[in-house]
């Protein structure tokens, strides 16, 4: 479903599936990164799991989408989470992770397909953490991948979960060109 600026919102069943895949990492006090946070819907859901001591950072490279997310979260009665910096929405290149480097993150969700698992995101993943990311090129076969970092932080185990179709994780200019 298009949400403007060349971005889409994933189908509700995909949000539910990603929540299920990440559920063991979505604990009170956890730090979560949501790359390509779009409308802020999934970002707000992550905050429900992490509780008052958690932190959820949503990264989107289109400023208007960041503002839409903030407006949506406030309209849903969760503005206090924004005010308390329990949910932080930022403009940035999600391929590089959190521009303020508030990690390491216990869980990272990526809402767009990357040709490979983004190395910068794996670096921001905490030891014992999980990254969920669609992997594959635009218009080609893509897989939803869960990448688990070992507890010593020295290795990553990749699990291919299912075939998916996502918009590409790209730069701002490519995304806006898709909208034209």
């Amino acid at each position: 479903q298009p949400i403007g600026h060349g971005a889409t919102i994933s189908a509700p069943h995909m949000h539910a599936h990603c929540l299920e895949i990440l559920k063991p990492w979505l604990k009170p006090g956890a730090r979560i990164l949501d790359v390509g946070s779009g409308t802020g819907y999934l970002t707000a859901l992550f905050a429900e799991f992490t509780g008052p001591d958690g932190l959820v950072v949503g990264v989107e490279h289109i400023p208007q989408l960041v503002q839409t997310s903030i407006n949506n979260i406030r309209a849903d009665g969760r503005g206090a989470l924004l005010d308390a910096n329990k949910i932080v929405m930022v403009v940035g290149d999600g391929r590089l992770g959190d521009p303020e480097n508030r990690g390491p993150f216990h869980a990272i969700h990526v809402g767009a397909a990357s040709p490979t698992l983004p190395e910068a995101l794996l670096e921001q993943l905490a030891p014992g953490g999980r990254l969920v990311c669609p992997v594959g090129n635009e218009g080609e076969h893509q897989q939803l991948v869960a990448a688990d970092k070992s507890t010593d932080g020295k290795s990553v185990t990749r699990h291919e979960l299912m075939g998916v179709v996502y918009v590409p994780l790209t730069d701002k200019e490519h995304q806006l060109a898709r909208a034209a």
Side-chain angles (χ1 to χ4, degrees):
Q1 182 80 1
I3 59 172
H5 310 284
T8 61
I9 187 170
S10 298
H13 75 278
M14 289 307 300
H15 281 151
H17 192 66
C18 287
L19 285 167
E20 189 66 32
I21 293 166
L22 290 170
K23 188 175 179 181
W25 290 266
L26 302 177
K27 296 178 180 176
R31 297 169 98 63
I32 312 298
L33 179 63
D34 188 17
V35 174
S37 50
T39 65
Y41 175 73
L42 193 57
T43 312
L45 288 175
F46 288 144
E48 292 296 317
F49 284 89
T50 60
D53 296 323
L55 171 68
V56 182
V57 178
V59 180
E60 183 62 64
H61 54 213
I62 308 293
Q64 295 91 330
L65 290 176
V66 170
Q67 190 57 54
T68 296
S69 295
I70 291 168
N71 295 345
N72 287 341
I73 292 166
R74 288 196 183 284
D76 194 41
R78 288 170 170 76
L81 295 171
L82 291 164
D83 298 336
N85 290 317
K86 300 303 178 187
I87 297 177
V88 179
M89 304 302 298
V90 297
V91 176
D93 186 341
R95 298 171 299 176
L96 304 177
D98 176 16
E100 303 269 328
N101 200 18
R102 286 169 271 245
F105 295 98
H106 300 98
I108 299 175
H109 168 264
V110 182
S114 177
T116 61
L117 287 173
E119 196 60 39
L121 298 181
L122 290 170
E123 290 172 11
Q124 290 188 23
L125 188 62
R130 173 169 273 188
L131 164 70
V132 173
C133 179
V135 176
N137 292 317
E138 182 176 7
E140 297 180 11
H141 177 75
Q142 299 172 353
Q143 282 285 319
L144 187 62
V145 173
D148 297 330
K149 188 178 268 190
S150 63
T151 55
D152 65 8
K154 295 182 181 179
S155 65
V156 173
T157 304
R158 175 185 165 128
H159 310 277
E160 292 190 357
L161 304 174
M162 61 191 276
V164 293
V165 178
Y166 276 76
V167 297
L169 182 64
T170 187
D171 59 41
K172 179 180 177 180
E173 290 73 28
H174 184 129
Q175 183 172 327
L176 290 174
R178 288 176 46 84

